[in-house]
Amino acid sequence: MSIPFVDLHAQYLSLKDEIDAAIARTIANSSFVRGPDVEAFEAEYSELMEASHTVSCANGTDALYIAMKALGIKPGDEVITTAQSWISTSETVGQHGATPVFVDIDPATSIIDVAKIEEKITSRTVGIIPVHLYGQMADMPAIMAIAKKHSLWVIEDCAQAHLATIDGRKAGRFGDIATWSFYPGKNLGAMGDAGAITTDDPALARHMACFARHGGLVKGDHEMEGINSRLDGLQAAILRVKLPHLTDWTARRRAVAKRYDRILADIPGITLPTEVEGREHVYHLYVIEAENRDVLADALKARGVPTVVNYKRSLPFLPAYAHLGHTPDDFPVTYRMQNRILSIPIFAELTEAQQDQVADALREACG
């Protein structure tokens, strides 16, 4: 029997009555754009993430775009970021007329290699966007030290890292701004697109909220030219139902990952993910490495185990960045990893029987 890669329906069924009631309430109130649930969610998310301000928006990509706009990015600027991420991290840099400057990754974690950041800094560098990839945080103390030394802003891309920590400090609590995605498959997922930005700076928070709402906090009173990036009431209502469960879901994901660590440890030909000491990984993805990745993926599919490659082609090697002229030698670790990584099923509702099926399929496929 095939198992799901992510079982969103199982999560819905566990909260069906509450979610259905929240949707019905929103429809009855016709509070479809912003409204009381949006404002309440912003306050509740700020409390859980220990941030002074949450600015909700339409999606995680807009969150990055709005954050950079608020920090004053302009054409000709350079922004340092990781070579391994979803394109939202870098495309939002280019949309401002700036240039993403990629840094190779740490082979143990696939997260930006902090030791290689400073060599990429030039007179045009204005900021750094570390990505807490797969659910594990980048080395934020070291990154913030570099940023302070060179007077750079920092945006934490937390799209995959809700409640991740480093030395007990939560994701989003280091940089000037943190951006979040609530895409349905995320650890905290809406039932459509949704996103948010957190910061402790009240001036930045107000500017971002204003910009995301056509440049004005009061309808018809436009302080600037802005964009339309608002969290809708239905998604806010759904997220409010899910938010109190995020801590328990995170603990369950970690338990699933630790059991994977045990039952997959003796399988030859694969490398399991590394959790760095002092960092609490929230396992948005459980990513293994394999030499014959595509062959392994096909073999697992035939045994009822779906897999995903996140990401099949790393950012510097996408056609979108061909104009930068990068070669595999520029990012040797990233290039090697893009041909080895394979994500296997993980979600809070994954059963031990399903995990055993994954393990058996891997053991058979790897001989």
Side-chain angles (χ1 to χ4, degrees), residues 3-11 185-187 249 252-257 260 282-286 306 344-351 354-355 358:
I3 64 175
F5 182 76
V6 175
D7 197 341
L8 299 181
H9 189 63
Q11 185 186 79
K186 293 295 194 287
N187 292 23
W249 288 340
R252 176 59 189 156
R253 279 180 177 270
R254 285 182 51 76
V256 169
Y260 265 149
V282 297
Y283 293 97
H284 171 59
L285 297 168
Y286 191 93
I344 63 175
I346 188 167
F347 47 93
E349 299 79 14
L350 191 70
T351 67
Q354 289 172 322
Q355 281 193 276
V358 174

Side-chain angles (χ1 to χ4, degrees), residues 2-320:
S2 180
I3 64 175
F5 182 76
V6 175
D7 197 341
L8 299 181
H9 189 63
Q11 185 186 79
Y12 164 67
L13 291 177
S14 72
L15 300 171
K16 183 180 186 303
D17 291 345
E18 295 173 76
I19 290 175
D20 289 354
I23 292 171
R25 182 185 70 243
T26 304
I27 293 172
N29 295 338
S30 298
S31 52
F32 300 117
V33 179
R34 290 200 60 82
D37 278 307
V38 174
E39 294 177 5
F41 173 72
E42 289 176 337
E44 291 159 3
Y45 196 72
S46 290
E47 182 177 2
L48 183 60
M49 296 303 162
E50 302 174 0
S52 299
H53 306 276
T54 294
V55 177
S56 61
C57 58
N59 53 69
T61 304
D62 279 2
L64 285 160
Y65 181 86
I66 294 164
M68 279 180 260
K69 183 72 172 180
L71 290 168
I73 193 171
K74 62 184 185 302
D77 287 344
E78 293 179 350
V79 176
I80 291 173
T81 192
T82 177
Q84 181 75 339
S85 181
W86 179 243
I87 195 171
S88 294
T89 308
S90 54
E91 71 181 349
T92 45
V93 176
Q95 287 161 1
H96 287 291
T99 301
V101 176
F102 300 115
V103 175
D104 209 358
I105 58 175
D106 180 340
T109 63
S110 291
I111 299 170
I112 189 169
D113 188 339
V114 175
K116 297 179 180 178
I117 290 178
E118 281 198 277
E119 66 189 48
K120 298 294 183 95
I121 295 174
T122 72
S123 60
R124 296 168 61 190
T125 306
V126 296
I128 306 171
I129 305 179
V131 178
H132 303 323
L133 198 67
Y134 306 150
Q136 182 164 211
M137 289 182 65
D139 187 350
M140 289 309 301
I143 289 171
M144 295 308 298
I146 293 170
K148 182 177 181 180
K149 176 181 176 182
H150 296 276
S151 301
L152 307 175
W153 49 251
V154 175
I155 297 172
E156 291 180 66
D157 186 337
C158 302
Q160 301 181 3
H162 312 77
L163 295 185
T165 64
I166 182 168
D167 297 327
R169 192 172 177 184
K170 289 180 179 177
R173 301 302 303 135
F174 291 84
D176 299 279
I177 296 173
T179 62
W180 307 84
S181 170
F182 307 123
Y183 184 78
K186 293 295 194 287
N187 292 23
L188 177 63
M191 290 184 170
D193 269 327
I197 312 155
T198 55
T199 183
D200 286 342
D201 187 319
L204 279 176
R206 188 185 189 283
H207 184 94
M208 291 187 293
C210 193
F211 181 72
R213 292 154 63 176
H214 289 295
L217 298 180
V218 178
K219 188 173 182 178
D221 186 9
H222 307 284
E223 302 173 24
M224 64 182 81
E225 291 183 333
I227 62 172
N228 179 16
S229 182
R230 296 173 292 193
L231 177 62
D232 72 65
L234 282 167
Q235 301 306 335
I238 292 164
L239 286 167
R240 288 190 68 203
V241 172
K242 291 186 174 188
L243 188 62
H245 300 275
L246 181 59
T247 299
D248 289 341
W249 288 340
T250 301
R252 176 59 189 156
R253 279 180 177 270
R254 285 182 51 76
V256 169
K258 294 311 172 189
R259 187 167 189 271
Y260 265 149
D261 290 347
R262 293 194 303 272
I263 66 177
L264 304 182
D266 64 338
I267 298 177
I270 64 171
T271 302
L272 305 183
T274 298
E275 182 174 38
V276 178
E277 185 177 355
R279 304 186 202 180
E280 192 163 287
H281 199 320
V282 297
Y283 293 97
H284 171 59
L285 297 168
Y286 191 93
V287 184
I288 65 173
E289 297 172 39
E291 195 68 41
N292 298 309
R293 188 265 315 282
D294 295 335
V295 173
L296 178 59
D298 289 342
L300 291 175
K301 182 179 179 181
R303 290 166 171 80
V305 175
T307 60
V308 174
V309 178
N310 305 93
Y311 304 95
K312 197 158 191 174
R313 192 179 300 186
S314 299
L315 293 173
F317 311 120
L318 289 169

Side-chain angles (χ1 to χ4, degrees), residues 334-346:
T334 303
Y335 186 75
R336 177 173 177 269
M337 284 295 184
Q338 75 174 8
N339 298 308
R340 291 177 57 86
I341 53 175
L342 188 67
S343 300
I344 63 175
I346 188 167

